[in-house]
Tab-separated table of all heavy atoms in Angstrom:
chain	number	residue	atom	x	y	z
A	324	SER	N	-10.420	16.323	4.490
A	324	SER	CA	-11.218	17.123	5.390
A	324	SER	C	-11.311	16.485	6.781
A	324	SER	O	-11.223	17.105	7.822
A	324	SER	CB	-12.608	17.397	4.838
A	324	SER	OG	-12.529	18.145	3.680
A	325	SER	N	-11.490	15.113	6.789
A	325	SER	CA	-11.576	14.426	8.102
A	325	SER	C	-10.355	14.579	8.937
A	325	SER	O	-10.415	14.739	10.155
A	325	SER	CB	-11.877	12.925	7.818
A	325	SER	OG	-13.102	12.723	7.225
A	326	ARG	N	-9.145	14.533	8.261
A	326	ARG	CA	-7.971	14.726	8.977
A	326	ARG	C	-7.903	16.086	9.676
A	326	ARG	O	-7.525	16.222	10.842
A	326	ARG	CB	-6.734	14.557	8.083
A	326	ARG	CG	-6.401	13.112	7.751
A	326	ARG	CD	-5.041	13.025	7.012
A	326	ARG	NE	-5.063	13.703	5.733
A	326	ARG	CZ	-5.441	13.125	4.574
A	326	ARG	NH1	-5.847	11.848	4.614
A	326	ARG	NH2	-5.451	13.761	3.429
A	327	ARG	N	-8.337	17.116	8.978
A	327	ARG	CA	-8.354	18.472	9.537
A	327	ARG	C	-9.342	18.599	10.679
A	327	ARG	O	-9.004	19.189	11.727
A	327	ARG	CB	-8.648	19.487	8.462
A	327	ARG	CG	-7.489	19.782	7.502
A	327	ARG	CD	-7.896	20.339	6.221
A	327	ARG	NE	-8.720	21.585	6.315
A	327	ARG	CZ	-8.226	22.836	6.383
A	327	ARG	NH1	-6.910	23.036	6.406
A	327	ARG	NH2	-9.001	23.867	6.474
A	328	ILE	N	-10.554	17.995	10.498
A	328	ILE	CA	-11.509	18.097	11.536
A	328	ILE	C	-11.066	17.285	12.765
A	328	ILE	O	-11.126	17.827	13.938
A	328	ILE	CB	-12.890	17.500	11.066
A	328	ILE	CG1	-13.398	18.280	9.852
A	328	ILE	CG2	-13.940	17.545	12.168
A	328	ILE	CD1	-14.518	17.569	9.121
A	329	LEU	N	-10.599	16.102	12.599
A	329	LEU	CA	-10.247	15.271	13.777
A	329	LEU	C	-8.944	15.791	14.428
A	329	LEU	O	-8.815	15.708	15.614
A	329	LEU	CB	-9.999	13.836	13.292
A	329	LEU	CG	-11.273	13.131	12.844
A	329	LEU	CD1	-10.971	11.716	12.239
A	329	LEU	CD2	-12.272	12.997	14.008
A	330	ASP	N	-8.055	16.409	13.639
A	330	ASP	CA	-6.873	17.064	14.225
A	330	ASP	C	-7.340	18.146	15.163
A	330	ASP	O	-6.715	18.373	16.249
A	330	ASP	CB	-5.970	17.619	13.153
A	330	ASP	CG	-5.121	16.557	12.487
A	330	ASP	OD1	-5.060	15.404	12.990
A	330	ASP	OD2	-4.543	16.807	11.386
A	331	LEU	N	-8.348	18.909	14.744
A	331	LEU	CA	-8.912	19.959	15.543
A	331	LEU	C	-9.510	19.387	16.851
A	331	LEU	O	-9.268	19.864	17.951
A	331	LEU	CB	-9.877	20.808	14.777
A	331	LEU	CG	-10.613	21.926	15.547
A	331	LEU	CD1	-9.652	22.971	16.085
A	331	LEU	CD2	-11.630	22.617	14.632
A	332	ILE	N	-10.376	18.365	16.650
A	332	ILE	CA	-11.026	17.798	17.807
A	332	ILE	C	-10.088	17.174	18.780
A	332	ILE	O	-10.325	17.208	20.032
A	332	ILE	CB	-12.086	16.713	17.335
A	332	ILE	CG1	-13.208	17.427	16.560
A	332	ILE	CG2	-12.628	15.933	18.445
A	332	ILE	CD1	-14.235	16.476	15.950
A	333	GLU	N	-9.018	16.582	18.285
A	333	GLU	CA	-8.040	15.928	19.144
A	333	GLU	C	-6.902	16.848	19.661
A	333	GLU	O	-5.987	16.395	20.318
A	333	GLU	CB	-7.435	14.782	18.349
A	333	GLU	CG	-8.393	13.671	18.033
A	333	GLU	CD	-7.913	12.642	17.053
A	333	GLU	OE1	-6.723	12.715	16.714
A	333	GLU	OE2	-8.713	11.792	16.613
A	334	THR	N	-7.020	18.142	19.358
A	334	THR	CA	-5.998	19.099	19.883
A	334	THR	C	-6.145	19.093	21.432
A	334	THR	O	-7.205	19.266	21.983
A	334	THR	CB	-6.275	20.494	19.392
A	334	THR	OG1	-6.171	20.473	17.966
A	334	THR	CG2	-5.249	21.481	19.987
A	335	PRO	N	-5.052	18.867	22.149
A	335	PRO	CA	-5.134	18.750	23.600
A	335	PRO	C	-5.448	20.083	24.261
A	335	PRO	O	-5.087	21.150	23.791
A	335	PRO	CB	-3.688	18.278	24.034
A	335	PRO	CG	-2.846	18.705	22.868
A	335	PRO	CD	-3.655	18.616	21.651
A	336	VAL	N	-6.179	19.977	25.345
A	336	VAL	CA	-6.558	21.187	26.171
A	336	VAL	C	-5.760	21.090	27.434
A	336	VAL	O	-5.877	20.128	28.221
A	336	VAL	CB	-8.082	21.155	26.468
A	336	VAL	CG1	-8.428	22.320	27.376
A	336	VAL	CG2	-8.896	21.179	25.194
A	337	SER	N	-4.949	22.064	27.724
A	337	SER	CA	-4.027	22.054	28.874
A	337	SER	C	-4.769	22.670	30.101
A	337	SER	O	-4.506	22.275	31.231
A	337	SER	CB	-2.704	22.789	28.595
A	337	SER	OG	-2.943	24.111	28.262
A	338	ILE	N	-5.593	23.644	29.849
A	338	ILE	CA	-6.339	24.287	30.949
A	338	ILE	C	-7.717	23.677	31.078
A	338	ILE	O	-8.570	23.942	30.270
A	338	ILE	CB	-6.472	25.795	30.756
A	338	ILE	CG1	-5.065	26.457	30.673
A	338	ILE	CG2	-7.263	26.433	31.919
A	338	ILE	CD1	-5.084	27.951	30.465
A	339	ARG	N	-7.862	22.824	32.024
A	339	ARG	CA	-9.102	22.077	32.227
A	339	ARG	C	-9.361	21.900	33.705
A	339	ARG	O	-8.486	22.225	34.542
A	339	ARG	CB	-9.075	20.712	31.508
A	339	ARG	CG	-7.960	19.846	31.980
A	339	ARG	CD	-8.045	18.443	31.391
A	339	ARG	NE	-7.817	18.420	29.947
A	339	ARG	CZ	-8.761	18.100	29.088
A	339	ARG	NH1	-9.937	17.781	29.476
A	339	ARG	NH2	-8.438	18.033	27.814
A	340	ASN	N	-10.510	21.397	34.050
A	340	ASN	CA	-10.865	21.161	35.500
A	340	ASN	C	-9.946	20.005	35.981
A	340	ASN	O	-9.759	19.000	35.308
A	340	ASN	CB	-12.335	20.744	35.641
A	340	ASN	CG	-13.267	21.890	35.363
A	340	ASN	OD1	-12.930	23.029	35.604
A	340	ASN	ND2	-14.447	21.614	34.868
A	341	THR	N	-9.340	20.237	37.120
A	341	THR	CA	-8.524	19.228	37.746
A	341	THR	C	-9.432	18.178	38.403
A	341	THR	O	-10.608	18.434	38.614
A	341	THR	CB	-7.609	19.833	38.798
A	341	THR	OG1	-8.438	20.509	39.774
A	341	THR	CG2	-6.631	20.822	38.197
A	342	ALA	N	-8.853	17.006	38.618
A	342	ALA	CA	-9.669	15.941	39.260
A	342	ALA	C	-10.148	16.392	40.677
A	342	ALA	O	-9.369	16.927	41.433
A	342	ALA	CB	-8.754	14.682	39.373
A	343	GLY	N	-11.411	16.187	40.863
A	343	GLY	CA	-11.990	16.559	42.163
A	343	GLY	C	-12.163	18.079	42.330
A	343	GLY	O	-12.240	18.565	43.432
A	344	ALA	N	-12.239	18.859	41.208
A	344	ALA	CA	-12.391	20.249	41.301
A	344	ALA	C	-13.765	20.622	41.963
A	344	ALA	O	-14.761	20.013	41.632
A	344	ALA	CB	-12.359	20.898	39.941
A	345	ASN	N	-13.693	21.557	42.892
A	345	ASN	CA	-14.938	21.970	43.626
A	345	ASN	C	-15.588	23.156	42.920
A	345	ASN	O	-14.934	23.919	42.181
A	345	ASN	CB	-14.566	22.385	45.044
A	345	ASN	CG	-13.958	21.240	45.804
A	345	ASN	OD1	-14.383	20.100	45.770
A	345	ASN	ND2	-12.849	21.541	46.520
A	346	ALA	N	-16.848	23.223	43.131
A	346	ALA	CA	-17.581	24.433	42.584
A	346	ALA	C	-17.323	25.618	43.513
A	346	ALA	O	-17.356	25.469	44.736
A	346	ALA	CB	-19.057	24.144	42.476
A	347	LEU	N	-17.089	26.787	42.968
A	347	LEU	CA	-16.857	27.977	43.739
A	347	LEU	C	-18.189	28.604	44.020
A	347	LEU	O	-18.751	29.311	43.187
A	347	LEU	CB	-15.972	28.952	42.939
A	347	LEU	CG	-15.426	30.147	43.703
A	347	LEU	CD1	-14.544	29.731	44.863
A	347	LEU	CD2	-14.618	31.033	42.750
A	348	ASP	N	-18.793	28.266	45.145
A	348	ASP	CA	-20.094	28.724	45.451
A	348	ASP	C	-20.182	30.174	46.007
A	348	ASP	O	-20.053	31.112	45.308
A	348	ASP	CB	-20.785	27.754	46.427
A	348	ASP	CG	-20.977	26.358	45.823
A	348	ASP	OD1	-21.218	26.288	44.595
A	348	ASP	OD2	-20.771	25.355	46.530
A	349	LYS	N	-20.243	30.282	47.321
A	349	LYS	CA	-20.331	31.583	47.921
A	349	LYS	C	-18.926	32.255	47.908
A	349	LYS	O	-17.994	31.640	48.344
A	349	LYS	CB	-20.857	31.515	49.369
A	349	LYS	CG	-21.096	32.814	50.025
A	349	LYS	CD	-21.673	32.620	51.396
A	349	LYS	CE	-21.978	33.995	52.054
A	349	LYS	NZ	-20.788	34.868	52.148
A	350	VAL	N	-18.848	33.465	47.313
A	350	VAL	CA	-17.600	34.123	47.206
A	350	VAL	C	-17.675	35.502	47.867
A	350	VAL	O	-18.553	36.309	47.580
A	350	VAL	CB	-17.227	34.271	45.698
A	350	VAL	CG1	-15.962	35.131	45.566
A	350	VAL	CG2	-17.094	32.951	45.083
A	351	ASP	N	-16.710	35.781	48.784
A	351	ASP	CA	-16.572	37.087	49.331
A	351	ASP	C	-15.767	38.030	48.433
A	351	ASP	O	-16.051	39.195	48.337
A	351	ASP	CB	-15.914	37.018	50.696
A	351	ASP	CG	-16.804	36.254	51.722
A	351	ASP	OD1	-18.052	36.380	51.654
A	351	ASP	OD2	-16.249	35.522	52.562
A	352	GLY	N	-14.754	37.519	47.832
A	352	GLY	CA	-13.937	38.245	46.894
A	352	GLY	C	-12.560	38.580	47.289
A	352	GLY	O	-11.948	39.488	46.703
A	353	ARG	N	-11.980	37.933	48.277
A	353	ARG	CA	-10.603	38.119	48.640
A	353	ARG	C	-9.684	37.410	47.651
A	353	ARG	O	-9.810	36.231	47.447
A	353	ARG	CB	-10.316	37.613	50.076
A	353	ARG	CG	-8.892	37.752	50.530
A	353	ARG	CD	-8.669	37.184	51.927
A	353	ARG	NE	-7.241	37.107	52.303
A	353	ARG	CZ	-6.592	38.112	52.877
A	353	ARG	NH1	-7.246	39.269	53.109
A	353	ARG	NH2	-5.330	37.950	53.198
A	354	ILE	N	-8.749	38.154	47.027
A	354	ILE	CA	-7.891	37.597	45.960
A	354	ILE	C	-6.476	37.765	46.416
A	354	ILE	O	-6.079	38.801	46.866
A	354	ILE	CB	-8.175	38.332	44.648
A	354	ILE	CG1	-9.632	38.162	44.223
A	354	ILE	CG2	-7.197	37.838	43.611
A	354	ILE	CD1	-10.063	38.983	43.056
A	355	GLU	N	-5.691	36.713	46.157
A	355	GLU	CA	-4.260	36.715	46.511
A	355	GLU	C	-3.455	36.165	45.323
A	355	GLU	O	-3.749	35.188	44.698
A	355	GLU	CB	-3.958	35.852	47.747
A	355	GLU	CG	-4.731	36.249	48.998
A	355	GLU	CD	-4.451	35.218	50.113
A	355	GLU	OE1	-3.371	35.227	50.693
A	355	GLU	OE2	-5.383	34.416	50.403
A	356	PHE	N	-2.320	36.850	45.071
A	356	PHE	CA	-1.312	36.408	44.135
A	356	PHE	C	-0.067	36.076	44.945
A	356	PHE	O	0.455	36.987	45.632
A	356	PHE	CB	-1.004	37.462	43.065
A	356	PHE	CG	-2.077	37.641	42.018
A	356	PHE	CD1	-3.234	38.321	42.305
A	356	PHE	CD2	-1.895	37.073	40.756
A	356	PHE	CE1	-4.224	38.492	41.332
A	356	PHE	CE2	-2.859	37.262	39.810
A	356	PHE	CZ	-4.007	37.932	40.043
A	357	ARG	N	0.430	34.922	44.851
A	357	ARG	CA	1.591	34.516	45.635
A	357	ARG	C	2.748	34.028	44.735
A	357	ARG	O	2.686	33.046	44.076
A	357	ARG	CB	1.256	33.407	46.609
A	357	ARG	CG	0.237	33.740	47.632
A	357	ARG	CD	-0.098	32.591	48.539
A	357	ARG	NE	-1.104	32.876	49.545
A	357	ARG	CZ	-1.655	31.946	50.384
A	357	ARG	NH1	-1.219	30.650	50.290
A	357	ARG	NH2	-2.519	32.324	51.269
A	358	LYS	N	3.755	34.891	44.619
A	358	LYS	CA	5.009	34.557	43.862
A	358	LYS	C	4.652	34.072	42.440
A	358	LYS	O	5.174	33.061	41.969
A	358	LYS	CB	5.856	33.514	44.625
A	358	LYS	CG	6.322	34.013	45.971
A	358	LYS	CD	7.142	32.940	46.658
A	358	LYS	CE	7.632	33.443	47.967
A	358	LYS	NZ	8.495	32.408	48.702
A	359	VAL	N	3.846	34.846	41.746
A	359	VAL	CA	3.382	34.424	40.406
A	359	VAL	C	4.366	34.878	39.350
A	359	VAL	O	4.733	36.101	39.298
A	359	VAL	CB	1.998	34.979	40.130
A	359	VAL	CG1	1.588	34.697	38.681
A	359	VAL	CG2	0.985	34.341	41.099
A	360	ASP	N	4.796	33.923	38.512
A	360	ASP	CA	5.627	34.256	37.314
A	360	ASP	C	4.847	33.721	36.089
A	360	ASP	O	4.136	32.771	36.154
A	360	ASP	CB	7.012	33.549	37.391
A	360	ASP	CG	7.819	34.080	38.516
A	360	ASP	OD1	7.793	35.284	38.793
A	360	ASP	OD2	8.501	33.250	39.199
A	361	PHE	N	5.061	34.414	34.950
A	361	PHE	CA	4.409	33.969	33.744
A	361	PHE	C	5.134	34.455	32.517
A	361	PHE	O	5.701	35.531	32.529
A	361	PHE	CB	2.973	34.430	33.705
A	361	PHE	CG	2.232	34.100	32.435
A	361	PHE	CD1	1.760	32.795	32.268
A	361	PHE	CD2	2.002	35.008	31.432
A	361	PHE	CE1	1.119	32.453	31.069
A	361	PHE	CE2	1.349	34.668	30.261
A	361	PHE	CZ	0.910	33.351	30.059
A	362	ALA	N	5.118	33.600	31.461
A	362	ALA	CA	5.623	34.011	30.104
A	362	ALA	C	4.734	33.382	29.067
A	362	ALA	O	4.193	32.301	29.288
A	362	ALA	CB	7.081	33.509	29.973
A	363	TYR	N	4.597	34.058	27.961
A	363	TYR	CA	3.781	33.541	26.842
A	363	TYR	C	4.658	32.614	25.996
A	363	TYR	O	5.609	33.093	25.318
A	363	TYR	CB	3.291	34.662	25.968
A	363	TYR	CG	2.193	35.496	26.623
A	363	TYR	CD1	2.499	36.754	27.178
A	363	TYR	CD2	0.903	35.061	26.664
A	363	TYR	CE1	1.526	37.495	27.806
A	363	TYR	CE2	-0.140	35.790	27.285
A	363	TYR	CZ	0.202	37.020	27.847
A	363	TYR	OH	-0.751	37.790	28.452
A	364	GLY	N	4.434	31.312	26.097
A	364	GLY	CA	5.234	30.342	25.346
A	364	GLY	C	6.699	30.427	25.703
A	364	GLY	O	7.071	30.424	26.867
A	365	ASP	N	7.534	30.565	24.667
A	365	ASP	CA	8.997	30.609	24.860
A	365	ASP	C	9.495	32.044	24.881
A	365	ASP	O	10.713	32.277	24.864
A	365	ASP	CB	9.657	29.825	23.727
A	365	ASP	CG	9.308	28.365	23.766
A	365	ASP	OD1	9.122	27.817	24.860
A	365	ASP	OD2	9.293	27.761	22.622
A	366	ASP	N	8.544	33.013	24.915
A	366	ASP	CA	8.941	34.422	25.002
A	366	ASP	C	9.520	34.786	26.352
A	366	ASP	O	9.515	33.990	27.274
A	366	ASP	CB	7.755	35.334	24.688
A	366	ASP	CG	7.261	35.111	23.262
A	366	ASP	OD1	7.997	34.592	22.424
A	366	ASP	OD2	6.124	35.484	22.980
A	367	ALA	N	10.036	35.957	26.416
A	367	ALA	CA	10.603	36.420	27.679
A	367	ALA	C	9.487	36.575	28.764
A	367	ALA	O	8.328	36.777	28.408
A	367	ALA	CB	11.284	37.812	27.468
A	368	PRO	N	9.792	36.356	30.027
A	368	PRO	CA	8.796	36.432	31.048
A	368	PRO	C	8.072	37.750	31.076
A	368	PRO	O	8.679	38.835	30.816
A	368	PRO	CB	9.610	36.278	32.392
A	368	PRO	CG	10.829	35.484	31.928
A	368	PRO	CD	11.132	36.008	30.554
A	369	VAL	N	6.785	37.695	31.334
A	369	VAL	CA	5.928	38.909	31.329
A	369	VAL	C	5.664	39.377	32.760
A	369	VAL	O	5.567	40.535	33.038
A	369	VAL	CB	4.599	38.632	30.621
A	369	VAL	CG1	3.674	39.890	30.716
A	369	VAL	CG2	4.828	38.246	29.199
A	370	LEU	N	5.566	38.444	33.687
A	370	LEU	CA	5.332	38.742	35.082
A	370	LEU	C	6.486	38.101	35.918
A	370	LEU	O	6.930	37.025	35.704
A	370	LEU	CB	3.991	38.215	35.593
A	370	LEU	CG	2.764	38.788	34.898
A	370	LEU	CD1	1.506	38.134	35.457
A	370	LEU	CD2	2.654	40.311	35.161
A	371	HIS	N	6.896	38.879	36.946
A	371	HIS	CA	7.965	38.363	37.810
A	371	HIS	C	7.566	38.537	39.312
A	371	HIS	O	7.294	39.640	39.755
A	371	HIS	CB	9.293	39.184	37.615
A	371	HIS	CG	9.718	39.281	36.195
A	371	HIS	ND1	10.573	38.430	35.627
A	371	HIS	CD2	9.416	40.185	35.231
A	371	HIS	CE1	10.803	38.744	34.332
A	371	HIS	NE2	10.080	39.828	34.056
A	372	ASP	N	7.499	37.426	39.951
A	372	ASP	CA	7.347	37.403	41.417
A	372	ASP	C	6.226	38.345	41.905
A	372	ASP	O	6.506	39.267	42.698
A	372	ASP	CB	8.679	37.739	42.094
A	372	ASP	CG	8.663	37.448	43.583
A	372	ASP	OD1	7.930	36.483	43.957
A	372	ASP	OD2	9.417	38.098	44.359
A	373	ILE	N	5.025	38.168	41.476
A	373	ILE	CA	3.886	39.006	41.802
A	373	ILE	C	3.352	38.557	43.126
A	373	ILE	O	2.844	37.430	43.272
A	373	ILE	CB	2.778	39.048	40.725
A	373	ILE	CG1	3.375	39.545	39.373
A	373	ILE	CG2	1.622	39.854	41.175
A	373	ILE	CD1	3.885	40.929	39.427
A	374	ASN	N	3.354	39.415	44.138
A	374	ASN	CA	2.760	39.141	45.448
A	374	ASN	C	1.839	40.315	45.781
A	374	ASN	O	2.290	41.477	45.886
A	374	ASN	CB	3.827	39.017	46.489
A	374	ASN	CG	4.663	37.717	46.376
A	374	ASN	OD1	4.277	36.721	46.792
A	374	ASN	ND2	5.829	37.855	45.709
A	375	LEU	N	0.538	40.036	45.961
A	375	LEU	CA	-0.375	41.045	46.403
A	375	LEU	C	-1.647	40.409	46.929
A	375	LEU	O	-1.994	39.289	46.649
A	375	LEU	CB	-0.705	42.016	45.215
A	375	LEU	CG	-1.391	41.411	43.983
A	375	LEU	CD1	-2.937	41.491	44.090
A	375	LEU	CD2	-0.917	42.154	42.728
A	376	THR	N	-2.358	41.179	47.734
A	376	THR	CA	-3.627	40.706	48.343
A	376	THR	C	-4.677	41.813	48.098
A	376	THR	O	-4.403	42.985	48.399
A	376	THR	CB	-3.457	40.455	49.844
A	376	THR	OG1	-2.537	39.409	49.976
A	376	THR	CG2	-4.778	39.964	50.421
A	377	ILE	N	-5.838	41.403	47.616
A	377	ILE	CA	-6.975	42.331	47.421
A	377	ILE	C	-8.050	41.891	48.429
A	377	ILE	O	-8.584	40.762	48.274
A	377	ILE	CB	-7.482	42.313	45.967
A	377	ILE	CG1	-6.360	42.624	45.012
A	377	ILE	CG2	-8.629	43.214	45.807
A	377	ILE	CD1	-6.715	42.381	43.565
A	378	ASP	N	-8.360	42.744	49.357
A	378	ASP	CA	-9.394	42.373	50.332
A	378	ASP	C	-10.747	42.375	49.695
A	378	ASP	O	-11.010	43.175	48.806
A	378	ASP	CB	-9.347	43.340	51.508
A	378	ASP	CG	-8.072	43.191	52.418
A	378	ASP	OD1	-7.626	41.988	52.453
A	378	ASP	OD2	-7.560	44.133	52.881
A	379	ALA	N	-11.626	41.589	50.240
A	379	ALA	CA	-13.020	41.470	49.722
A	379	ALA	C	-13.713	42.820	49.819
A	379	ALA	O	-13.610	43.532	50.836
A	379	ALA	CB	-13.773	40.438	50.487
A	380	GLY	N	-14.408	43.203	48.767
A	380	GLY	CA	-15.120	44.484	48.742
A	380	GLY	C	-14.299	45.682	48.372
A	380	GLY	O	-14.874	46.760	48.219
A	381	ASN	N	-13.010	45.534	48.248
A	381	ASN	CA	-12.175	46.661	47.891
A	381	ASN	C	-12.136	46.956	46.392
A	381	ASN	O	-12.393	46.021	45.573
A	381	ASN	CB	-10.712	46.464	48.366
A	381	ASN	CG	-10.586	46.807	49.828
A	381	ASN	OD1	-11.553	47.074	50.524
A	381	ASN	ND2	-9.342	46.780	50.369
A	382	THR	N	-11.837	48.218	46.051
A	382	THR	CA	-11.583	48.546	44.635
A	382	THR	C	-10.084	48.832	44.437
A	382	THR	O	-9.552	49.729	45.119
A	382	THR	CB	-12.424	49.760	44.290
A	382	THR	OG1	-13.776	49.468	44.374
A	382	THR	CG2	-12.074	50.169	42.852
A	383	VAL	N	-9.457	48.073	43.575
A	383	VAL	CA	-8.062	48.203	43.342
A	383	VAL	C	-7.833	48.490	41.844
A	383	VAL	O	-8.719	48.177	41.013
A	383	VAL	CB	-7.215	47.055	43.726
A	383	VAL	CG1	-7.404	46.759	45.244
A	383	VAL	CG2	-7.550	45.817	42.919
A	384	ALA	N	-6.752	49.154	41.522
A	384	ALA	CA	-6.436	49.477	40.120
A	384	ALA	C	-5.044	49.129	39.813
A	384	ALA	O	-4.160	49.128	40.621
A	384	ALA	CB	-6.680	50.985	39.905
A	385	PHE	N	-4.830	48.776	38.511
A	385	PHE	CA	-3.499	48.545	37.988
A	385	PHE	C	-3.260	49.433	36.878
A	385	PHE	O	-4.040	49.632	35.922
A	385	PHE	CB	-3.414	47.047	37.477
A	385	PHE	CG	-3.490	46.005	38.562
A	385	PHE	CD1	-4.713	45.453	38.921
A	385	PHE	CD2	-2.339	45.580	39.194
A	385	PHE	CE1	-4.794	44.510	39.909
A	385	PHE	CE2	-2.395	44.598	40.162
A	385	PHE	CZ	-3.660	44.113	40.550
A	386	VAL	N	-2.115	50.142	36.989
A	386	VAL	CA	-1.724	51.128	35.928
A	386	VAL	C	-0.281	50.806	35.526
A	386	VAL	O	0.459	50.094	36.198
A	386	VAL	CB	-1.809	52.590	36.445
A	386	VAL	CG1	-3.251	52.909	36.884
A	386	VAL	CG2	-0.836	52.824	37.635
Side-chain angles (χ1 to χ4, degrees):
S324 294
S325 295
R326 283 191 294 273
R327 284 161 54 89
I328 300 166
L329 293 173
D330 284 345
L331 176 60
I332 292 176
E333 294 169 7
T334 301
V336 178
S337 59
I338 299 178
R339 58 173 68 245
N340 290 330
T341 56
N345 301 315
L347 191 61
D348 294 325
K349 186 178 182 302
V350 174
D351 294 325
R353 178 182 171 85
I354 299 171
E355 299 174 75
F356 286 78
R357 298 178 180 175
K358 298 182 178 180
V359 172
D360 295 321
F361 178 74
Y363 289 100
D365 297 326
D366 295 342
V369 177
L370 297 177
H371 307 268
D372 194 30
I373 301 298
N374 289 277
L375 62 92
T376 299
I377 303 172
D378 290 328
N381 278 7
T382 297
V383 301
F385 291 91
V386 300

